[in-house]
Each structure stands twice: as C-alpha cells, then as structure tokens.
Amino acid sequence: MTAPLLALLDGTLADVTAPLVRADDLGVVRGDGVFDAALVRVGADGAPLVRDRQAHLDRLERSAEILHLPEPDRAGFERAIDALVAAWDFDAQPEALVRLVLTRGPESGGDPTAFALMAPLAASVVAERERGVAITLLGRGHDGDEVAAMPWLLPGAKSLSYSINMAAKRHAVRHGFDDVVFVAPSGRLLEGPTSTLVVDRGGALLTPSQDGILASITLEHLMRDAPGAGLEVAFAPLEPDDLRTADGAWLLSSGRLVAHVTSVDGEPLPRSPLDAEVRRILDV
Amino acid sequence: MTAPLLALLDGTLADVTAPLVRADDLGVVRGDGVFDAALVRVGADGAPLVRDRQAHLDRLERSAEILHLPEPDRAGFERAIDALVAAWDFDAQPEALVRLVLTRGPESGGDPTAFALMAPLAASVVAERERGVAITLLGRGHDGDEVAAMPWLLPGAKSLSYSINMAAKRHAVRHGFDDVVFVAPSGRLLEGPTSTLVVDRGGALLTPSQDGILASITLEHLMRDAPGAGLEVAFAPLEPDDLRTADGAWLLSSGRLVAHVTSVDGEPLPRSPLDAEVRRILDV
C-alpha cells in the first residue's frame, strides 16, 4: 500500500514516515481515542469532494463525546482535510480515504493528539463495488440492544480499539471469504467490522436496528434519498435466514460505498433487482 | 503523572517526550497490537526484580499469537527491560510498572513497532493495596465461555484495544467507585477492566472460570503457592450474590498486586479473615 499523506490541525503537511505520536500516547497503549473516515474524489464539477464531510465531522464529535474526550478541534480538522485535498494527485489516485484521528494524548498528561491521514482507496476495495463480496457470519459475542444500554461499552463510538474488527476480517480472509457480518448471541444480525448490512426482501430494503452498533453515514444517505426513487429503507430485526433467503444484500461503508453480497458462508446470494437503483441513489 | 522511561529493543533508552510511532501505525489507528505489564521493585536481596518476568514475556507471546502478529523479539524485550531497570531510580520511586508494547506497524507496510515503557506505580494505586477498593458491577455485554469459542474476538489476548476497559473504569470513578467487575448477560461475574476477581466463600477461595477472559499472572502465582499455605484457589461459576454475601474478595493485578473489595455497589463487604494470608502468599 502507498504511504498516506499526513496533515496536522494547523493545516500543514508532515512526513508520514517520521514518527508523530509518543510511545506513551493513550491512543497507542490503550487504543483510547476516536476516528472517522470519509471518501474523497473528484465530483461531477471536476472539483475534489469530501463525501458527507460535515456528517463525518459530526460523528467524530459524537464519538469523542461518548469517550469523554475533549471536543475535537473542528476548524483544525477542516484545515487538515483542506491541506490533504489540496496536496492530493487525483489524476494518479482518483479515490482516497481521509481519516481523522483524535487520541487522549500522553498517559502522563498533555494535550490530545490529533491529525488527519489520506491514503488511496485500495484497488481491491474499489473492485469489490463491482464484483461484490463473499461473506461469512461470525459471532460478535453480544447483543446490540443490550450494549446500547451500557455506555461504558462505548456503543455508537468509532473508537481506535478496532483490533477485534481487524481480527474478524483476517479470520474471514484466511477462510476464503472477503468480509464478515457479525451475529449476536440472540441470533440477530448486527453489522460488518467496517460496514453496515442492507437486505432486499421482496423489494423492501431492511437493515438491522442500530441499537448498539455504529450509525452509518452511507446508510443515512440511502435512507434520506431512497424515497425520492420510490424506495424505502427500514430498520428491522434480521436473522441469518432473512439474509440467506433474501433477494439480495449489500454492505455499505464510507470508502467502498457499496458491495453486493455474492454469498453467505458459501451459499450463493442473487444480485438484487434493486442493485442498480441502490448504486444510483448512493451516487457510487 | 511523571513521564515514563522509554527503551527500544536494541537496549537503548530514548526520550519519551519525542515522538516514536508513525501516525499510520496500526497500533494507533486500529489499536492493533498487544502489550503486557509487570511490576518492578527492589527484592529482599536489595536488587531490583521484575516480578514474574518470564511469565509476562510468555503471555506477550501468546497475545501476539492470538492476533497473528509476528513473534515478539524476546531477546530485544529483555534488553529493553534491562535498560529500563538499570536506569531507574528506585530510591526516588521504589515501585514501577514496566510495559511491553508490540504493534502491527505502519498500515502501508513495514516492521512491527516494539518498545518498553517504565513508569512509577501511582501512589493512589499503591494505597489501594491497604485501603481496598469500592467496586461497581457493570455489564460486559458478552459471556466469557461464548467468546472463548470465537478466536476472532481475541479472547485471552491483551490487545492494545483497551478503550472499553478504560471507559468502564472512568464510568465507575464518575459514579464514586474505585473499580469495576464485569458481569456477563448470563449473570456470571467475569473480571475487572485490569484485574481478576477472587472471592472468599467460607474459607474457599474462588475465581471466575477463565474461559474468554485474560489469564492472570498474579492469579497463577496465588494458585501455585496457596496450597503450601494450606489454602486452595478454585475456578467456579460466580454470580453477583456470591460476591455480595462473600466473606471477602480481592482484585488481583500485576501492578497493584492485590486490593480487597470494601463494597459492592455501595453495600459494604467484610475484609476476609484470609486477607493477611493472601497478601503473604502474593508477597505483597
């Protein structure tokens, strides 16, 4: 993978290969911080566009609030994003992911650590928009609605403690799958490690209730614009069989945007008749 | 808090206030790495001793294996520990915690990041050995035995993704408690965010089954040496009432070693008649 560009909150670029973070930063030693990530690419008017920029900054603020971190320096993150977008070579890399990071800072005291990274969207990720993903269902160990009532479990926050999400994805790849959907002990479908599930059941678009799972900005976009196209997206309790017998399904995320589910634990899933419409709504 | 000392795996000390870790290190942006921590203090012979040094290095190796990280450079961590111990001023700070950290390295590729930190054990932590801790029971959202069968949830690994543990502890402190014991949805007691529970029930020392929770080195120590003192420690399924009606209880951890539980959600708990014996066995 190409090294990303790095920007500080004063709007200057820094060398990403030079160390930036202290060894005793709580973001390093405790995964104690938050992040968010948005897609950047050239829009219809030829100018680069940070997709849902304000929604991502809003969610970063919400995540910080859930972790009782100081309020993110929004103007600083805006400056960092602007610096990265201005420096990016969109001819060479037409799509990039900008990631905003805020940690609690050094354990022995000091200011929070904050920076923004911008990296090319991997070609393999872009390809999944067209070829879809073979998924496996993996237990998540807990129920979303239960966790939603336990703020100390940080439901709804995009924390830096993503090692389980990463491990689940590695587990899937080692077993020949592309991605994961987590299942609660109750049998309810939850979300992917870095994505949100939407299922087509007879023309109705359904997505797991977001209690205790991360609010998806791509899903918000779909929910907002689907009615204009005569479609509706509803929250619903979904179980594995609802997915296996669906007319199609997708994983939504901010970078990949959409990938249709081609199979569930090896059983093929059809491509939804609404697939083209969903992509149009999401402006893929 | 005093800034810690920092050592690299070549055995040299580095300035902890200077950045060491890249912004795109997976330890920072994903909490993707492992750590372990051991107590260091002057032993009976007057020489500094890293308590259970090899057991902590063993556990670091197991954690790395669970995360599919490269095997830790054990000789390098030994060098780093030696450098830190040699540089430490035990007259000024008689007790310290040495922390070993290994991350997956930069996201765009490169070697794992590894270092060791040594910080004074906070006076408030040392004081809890004598004054004990008021605890609150908080839901953990999942059952240990369920998680034990799901390797992608990283059961048994001391990963850098500790934000939930930190959040639970902050939640407790905000509500007037000192520490936390997690409870599974099944009602089983699990562990503390950074400690292991041991309960005295009528002279029997009981601790929650370690399925899906972190193997405690302090507990291992207690289990190994208790029989020599005529005591035994057994794994048992424990529920909140087993704790509330106990003859006493302790939280064990590598730095604090032992803190007796003074109350559970405000209900006082007696100090166990075995308290002095437990401390003697643990060489507190």
Side-chain angles (χ1 to χ4, degrees), chain A residues 159-241:
Chain A
S159 91
L160 293 174
S161 289
Y162 250 49
S163 63
I164 284 179
N165 305 49
M166 298 296 102
K169 209 143 176 178
R170 284 196 306 275
H171 181 93
V173 168
R174 271 201 313 280
H175 290 81
F177 303 100
D178 302 309
D179 216 321
V180 172
V181 168
F182 285 124
V183 188
S186 65
R188 291 279 183 84
L189 299 176
L190 295 168
E191 60 189 336
T194 59
S195 65
T196 299
L197 176 69
V198 174
V199 167
D200 170 6
R201 288 196 61 83
L205 299 182
L206 304 175
T207 188
S209 148
Q210 298 215 312
D211 275 351
I213 69 179
L214 186 75
S216 160
I217 289 170
T218 314
L219 176 65
E220 272 170 37
H221 181 135
L222 184 66
M223 290 189 130
R224 187 188 61 222
D225 293 350
L231 294 176
E232 232 176 288
V233 190
F235 292 111
L238 293 172
E239 305 213 337
D241 273 349

Side-chain angles (χ1 to χ4, degrees), chain A residues 99 104 107 139 141-142 152, chain B residues 99 107 139 141-142 152 160 170:
Chain A
R99 186 152 40 181
R104 205 176 299 274
E107 194 165 32
H142 60 65
W152 54 90
Chain B
R99 185 150 44 177
E107 193 165 34
H142 60 64
W152 55 88
L160 293 175
R170 283 196 306 273

Side-chain angles (χ1 to χ4, degrees), chain B residues 45-109:
Chain B
D45 63 353
L49 183 77
V50 180
R51 199 179 155 107
D52 298 314
R53 177 174 179 143
Q54 297 310 318
H56 284 284
L57 286 162
D58 289 346
R59 190 168 66 178
L60 185 73
E61 287 184 2
R62 280 203 304 282
S63 292
E65 206 180 323
I66 294 170
L67 267 78
H68 292 88
L69 283 165
E71 194 181 340
D73 171 5
R74 189 161 181 136
F77 277 111
E78 294 271 23
R79 280 191 295 269
I81 294 168
D82 288 340
L84 291 168
V85 171
W88 196 256
D89 180 354
F90 287 93
D91 292 328
Q93 298 282 359
E95 300 197 50
L97 200 68
V98 64
R99 185 150 44 177
L100 317 175
V101 178
L102 175 69
T103 87
R104 205 178 297 278
E107 193 165 34
S108 50

